[in-house]
Amino acid sequence: MAADAPPRFVNRLLGWAPTWFIARLLLVSAYLLGGVTKLADWPGAVAEQAHFGLYPAGLWAALTILVEISGPLLILAGRLVWLGAGMLGVFTVLAAMVANAFWTLPAGADRFMATNAFFEHLGLAGGFVLVALVARQAR
């Protein structure tokens, strides 16, 4: 076995048929839940967009719900994965810039937390690129 080869149990896990679906479900679960929650609480969804200064808030709420539901469904269905991943990746970067603009905050705990959240969101966007790459390779 090569020095960089994964252990047998890791190979089994990665080769297990449901692993690909479960990994995608874990990646998109917050978006899917967020979209369904916003859909169930339309006034709250509109208020959230207004809170971030996005107007017309109703339009931004509708677009957010559309992306947060359709993007995950495309990824989970394995159809147009590149589109679903692209939608969620762009959405995630834009949302991070709006909600976690750490560069506008003074030094301190709030800036520290916003910086962490911003870069966590960039990591998620990278995960969507990887999902699109894996899906393309699997074709």
Side-chain angles (χ1 to χ4, degrees):
M1 183 186 300
D4 62 345
R8 186 171 290 141
F9 78 92
V10 172
N11 275 330
R12 284 192 191 124
L13 178 63
L14 295 176
W16 185 49
T19 298
W20 173 230
F21 179 81
I22 292 169
R24 290 178 291 153
L25 180 60
L26 291 172
L27 183 63
V28 303
S29 62
Y31 298 88
L32 197 52
L33 180 63
V36 170
T37 300
K38 287 173 182 71
L39 189 59
D41 180 14
W42 177 253
V46 173
E48 178 183 48
Q49 301 306 311
H51 168 77
F52 289 115
L54 299 172
Y55 294 98
L59 174 64
W60 286 107
L63 290 173
T64 298
I65 291 167
L66 177 68
V67 168
E68 286 188 330
I69 293 175
S70 63
L73 291 178
L74 290 172
I75 291 170
L76 293 174
R79 303 283 182 209
L80 300 173
V81 173
W82 64 269
L83 179 59
M87 290 167 53
L88 290 172
V90 170
F91 171 80
T92 299
V93 171
L94 293 175
M97 292 174 71
V98 169
N100 300 300
F102 66 90
W103 54 90
T104 66
L105 300 174
D110 288 343
R111 182 179 182 140
F112 179 81
M113 291 189 312
T115 301
N116 281 342
F118 181 85
F119 284 97
E120 287 170 356
H121 282 80
L122 290 186
L124 280 169
F128 290 120
V129 173
L130 290 173
V131 164
L133 287 168
V134 170
R136 184 186 74 171
Q137 191 69 24
R139 277 190 295 119

